[in-house]
């Protein structure tokens, strides 16, 4: 049993990690989150009052306050997810991405280093720092050819978001090398599921369709993403927390590649069943191609073989089942999502 600090635990993926830790393990959880526009405590309602869970509203850049929390709560693991996470926002304003993802991660690493050196701190053998990064640090792949990123792929980040995550990965490596912080780095692929903030492709498509508005698709819609369900990404992170050796690095994916146009078309087909348009048209009629994102990566694909082989992990949620349940969730929580957008 561990006492785990989950940074960014009120976000999309972080809240799935917290729910998994509470429902499916014996670990204690301290959710640490600044509650930016992307954080929402409603995502934790089902576990918030569990005796093994507590929530602390804190910014990872507030080093002293985070250090005080560590000395009081005495964690022996961190899963670090707190980040600015939306590529389009990073293209508009990169500074918050450098602030949180780079400066915030360095500040958190200093707290961890001090906690490991503290007389009451945990042994380095026991402690784990799981740094949740992305496959976007590797740049992109040709659409054709079947090549996949793996743990040996060279870094080549293209967006300010990806560059800030790459920088944070290098900081983790430096703290591991210089101060023996027992760290593991993960490179997860595009994640989907209930509760995702309605600025990313899948929730935007669903909510625009439900509102009868144009569904924007960058460029030709040919760009390919490799999708994993949020519960599978969370289960992989917990498996890595429990079983990975310090210094390891794992790609996390479910071998589930789809072109963006195919994803949005499938969403429209599901909505034609679940929430048909009043005018009898198919929802796909609303798909509208818009000017491409600057430097839009062509294809991401991650090879999860190392994780499957070394740690015996495999995804459980199939794409057809996961996408249908996700579309149904957004239909059932449309007002919830609109409230979130209005709160900004
Ligand atoms: N969602 C994906 O497709 C995906 C894929 C691979 C990796 N990741 C990584 O997983 C992590 C979580 O992604 P997500 O999609 O859940 O993001 P998200 O934007 O939904 O959540 C981020 C969370 O971090 C919190 N946060 C932001 N800045 C903070 C700060 N300074 N201090 C404390 N908390 C802060 C926010 O309040 C929010 O709860 C990120 O590090 C991201 O890079 C996400």
């Amino acid at each position: 049993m561990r006492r785990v600090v989950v940074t960014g635990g009120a976000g999309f993926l972080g809240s799935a990690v917290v729910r998994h830790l509470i429902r499916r393990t014996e670990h204690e959880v301290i959710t640490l989150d600044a509650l930016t526009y992307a954080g929402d405590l409603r995502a934790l309602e089902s576990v918030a009052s569990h005796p093994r869970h507590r929530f602390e509203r804190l910014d990872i850049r507030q080093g002293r306050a985070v250090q005080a929390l560590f000395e009081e709560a005495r964690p022996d693991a961190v899963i670090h997810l707190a980040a600015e996470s939306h590529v389009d926002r990073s293209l508009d304003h990169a500074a918050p991405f450098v602030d949180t993802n780079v400066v915030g991660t360095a500040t958190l690493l200093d707290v961890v280093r001090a906690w490991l050196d503290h007389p009451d701190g945990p042994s380095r053998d026991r402690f784990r720092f799981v740094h949740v990064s992305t496959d976007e640090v590797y740049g992109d792949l040709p659409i054709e050819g079947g090549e996949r990123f793996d743990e040996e792929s060279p870094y080549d980040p293209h967006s300010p978001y990806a560059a800030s995550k790459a920088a944070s990965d290098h900081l983790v490596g430096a703290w591991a090398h210089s101060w023996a912080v027992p760290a593991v780095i993960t490179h997860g692929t595009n994640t989907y599921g209930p509760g995702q903030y309605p600025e990313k492709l899948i929730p935007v498509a669903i909510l625009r369709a439900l509102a009868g508005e144009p569904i924007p698709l960058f460029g030709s819609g040919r760009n390919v993403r490799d999708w994993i369900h949020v519960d599978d990404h969370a289960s992989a992170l917990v498996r890595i927390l429990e079983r990975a050796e310090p210094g390891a690095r794992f790609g996390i994916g479910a071998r589930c590649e789809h072109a963006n146009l195919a994803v949005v078309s499938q969403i429209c087909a599901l909505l034609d069943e679940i929430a048909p348009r009043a005018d009898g048209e198919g929802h796909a009629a609303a798909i509208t191609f818009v000017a491409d994102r600057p430097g839009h990566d062509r294809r991401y694909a991650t090879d999860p073989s190392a994780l499957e082989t070394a740690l015996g992990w495999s995804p459980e949620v199939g794409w057809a089942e996961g996408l249908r349940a996700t579309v149904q969730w957004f239909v059932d929580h449309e007002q919830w999502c609109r409230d979130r957008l209005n709160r900004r």
Side-chain angles (χ1 to χ4, degrees), residues 33-57:
D33 198 295
L35 296 181
T36 68
Y37 80 94
D40 193 332
L41 283 179
R42 291 179 298 177
L44 296 173
E45 253 164 19
S46 61
V47 295
S49 56
H50 194 283
R52 283 187 286 111
H53 180 258
R54 74 187 254 201
F55 174 76
E56 294 290 337
R57 184 172 190 173

Side-chain angles (χ1 to χ4, degrees), residues 7-14 32-40 58-61 80-86 100 132-135 161 165 187-192 196-197 199-200 233:
T7 74
F12 168 54
L13 177 55
L32 185 165
D33 198 295
L35 296 181
T36 68
Y37 80 94
D40 193 332
L58 269 182
D59 191 309
I60 52 166
R61 291 165 298 179
H80 177 37
L81 300 109
E84 291 292 336
S85 70
H86 189 42
T100 287
V132 181
S133 188
T134 164
D135 61 357
Y161 161 69
K165 293 297 290 187
H187 298 284
T189 192
N190 277 58
T191 306
Y192 75 99
Q196 187 164 32
Y197 189 77
E199 64 186 352
K200 311 248 163 106
H233 197 158

Side-chain angles (χ1 to χ4, degrees), residues 36-319:
T36 68
Y37 80 94
D40 193 332
L41 283 179
R42 291 179 298 177
L44 296 173
E45 253 164 19
S46 61
V47 295
S49 56
H50 194 283
R52 283 187 286 111
H53 180 258
R54 74 187 254 201
F55 174 76
E56 294 290 337
R57 184 172 190 173
L58 269 182
D59 191 309
I60 52 166
R61 291 165 298 179
Q62 297 170 321
R64 281 206 184 141
V66 179
Q67 186 152 350
L69 173 69
F70 272 55
E71 287 173 13
E72 181 258 313
R74 305 166 63 102
D76 47 20
V78 175
I79 305 182
H80 177 37
L81 300 109
E84 291 292 336
S85 70
H86 189 42
V87 173
D88 292 337
R89 284 178 186 260
S90 80
L91 292 163
D92 288 341
H93 300 288
F97 288 73
V98 176
D99 262 4
T100 287
N101 301 359
V102 183
V103 178
T105 298
T107 307
L108 181 66
L109 285 163
D110 265 344
V111 168
V112 167
R113 176 189 165 201
W115 176 231
L116 287 168
D117 289 340
H118 193 281
D120 296 332
S123 74
R124 280 177 163 72
D125 284 349
R126 178 162 177 77
F127 193 85
R128 289 290 179 279
F129 185 88
V130 179
H131 178 63
V132 181
S133 188
T134 164
D135 61 357
E136 296 188 34
V137 299
Y138 302 130
D140 69 349
L141 295 164
I143 292 200
E144 313 293 343
E147 192 192 337
R148 292 177 162 269
F149 299 128
D150 64 23
E151 292 76 9
E152 307 302 321
S153 298
Y155 275 65
D156 182 21
H158 292 169
S159 70
Y161 161 69
S164 69
K165 293 297 290 187
S168 70
D169 295 0
H170 293 313
L171 293 174
V172 172
W175 262 251
H177 183 84
S178 304
W179 293 289
V181 170
V184 181
I185 299 178
T186 70
H187 298 284
T189 192
N190 277 58
T191 306
Y192 75 99
Q196 187 164 32
Y197 189 77
E199 64 186 352
K200 311 248 163 106
L201 177 71
I202 288 178
V204 165
I206 300 168
L207 292 173
R208 288 293 189 97
L210 289 174
E213 294 169 357
I215 305 171
L217 205 49
F218 284 130
S220 61
R222 287 187 70 229
N223 305 58
V224 173
R225 297 294 178 260
D226 187 7
W227 293 97
I228 183 169
H229 191 272
V230 67
D231 291 341
D232 283 332
H233 197 158
S235 77
L237 293 173
V238 173
R239 179 66 60 93
I240 287 165
L241 166 78
E242 292 177 335
R243 300 204 193 157
E245 291 299 323
R249 189 184 273 282
F250 288 106
I252 302 176
R255 297 189 184 83
C256 178
E257 292 181 49
H258 294 278
N260 290 343
L261 177 57
V263 171
V264 173
S265 301
Q266 289 172 58
I267 289 170
C268 289
L270 286 164
L271 284 172
D272 288 343
E273 273 180 51
I274 298 170
R277 276 170 55 146
D279 63 4
E281 281 256 40
H283 282 287
I287 296 175
T288 308
F289 295 98
V290 298
D292 210 354
R293 169 193 269 172
H296 199 177
D297 284 340
R298 295 162 297 172
R299 173 173 163 258
Y300 305 132
T302 285
D303 182 357
S305 304
L307 177 59
E308 292 167 341
T309 310
L311 304 189
W313 172 86
S314 54
E316 286 177 6
V317 185
W319 168 251

